[in-house]
Amino acid sequence: DAGVIQSPRHEVTEMGQEVTLRCKPISGHNSLFWYRQTMMRGLELLIYFNNNVPIDDSGMPEDRFSAKMPNASFSTLKIQPSEPRDSAVYFCASSLARGTSYGYTFGSGTRLTVV
Amino acid sequence: KQEVTQIPAALSVPEGENLVLNCSFTDSAIYNLQWFRQDPGKGLTSLLLIQSSQREQTSGRLNASLDKSSGRSTLYIAASQPGDSATYLCAVIIQGAQKLVFGQGTRLTINP
């Protein structure tokens, strides 16, 4: 089991550019989560999917952010246009919901720097 | 709205000591609680998962307890080692929502 795989590990981009972050969840997991971590706000949930369907996107900061899950093995988080305040570490996590036994596995994260 | 608080924010102790990290949450309607470890610049590693029907879980030198009625959890680390130095995060899963709500973490330093 390779775990949750995120790419790229680091991304440096100029303000106004489009950024796409990618995630491959653990095979067989049916829930996928995108989190953002900053020093000021800690870990915040941006959006999560169940069976590839977005369930709660109330944490997405604004229309510049969008997320897709075209199939059970791939998800993207896109920022367009990017701004310096988007600089953070973005984590993807997946889970297999077995009744109330939810355990989450996190990827290694993508460190985004917008200059 | 569920809020999770971890105290202390930072802790520094000499090697070999036993220590306790605290986590409190405002809404007792949770599915379970999970403790994570995060090393600087790294991702989150799951340490222990306690289901709402359980009172504690143990893994090696780690023991986590859960008291839903009082909205509290503790992570006990026995015989601490320098390799235990990391940030420890507590998170609860809200009933009906399936999402993790995190505390701000406790930054632990074990001094040789």
Side-chain angles (χ1 to χ4, degrees), chain A residues 9 31 33 35 37 39-43 45 48 50 56 58 91 95 97 100-104 106-108 111, chain B residues 31-32 34 36 38 40-46 49 51-52 89 93-94 96-104:
Chain A
R9 291 296 308 275
S31 297
F33 306 80
Y35 282 85
Q37 186 177 38
M39 288 292 292
M40 291 297 295
R41 301 174 68 91
L43 274 156
L45 177 67
Y48 79 92
N50 266 2
D56 183 352
S58 60
F91 287 103
S95 169
T100 58
S101 178
Y102 301 137
Y104 292 73
F106 279 74
S108 299
R111 182 173 297 275
Chain B
Y31 274 138
N32 57 35
Q34 196 164 358
F36 294 88
Q38 185 175 29
K42 303 292 186 182
L44 280 71
T45 301
S46 178
L49 172 68
Q51 296 184 36
S52 60
L89 294 152
I93 298 172
I94 305 170
Q98 203 194 333
K99 57 185 179 183
L100 278 170
V101 178
F102 281 89
Q104 289 286 68

Side-chain angles (χ1 to χ4, degrees), chain B residues 4-26:
Chain B
V4 181
T5 304
Q6 291 187 246
I7 296 173
L11 180 64
S12 180
V13 301
E15 181 178 3
E17 281 201 3
N18 303 323
L19 58 98
V20 174
L21 307 181
N22 296 293
C23 172
S24 62
F25 46 96
T26 54

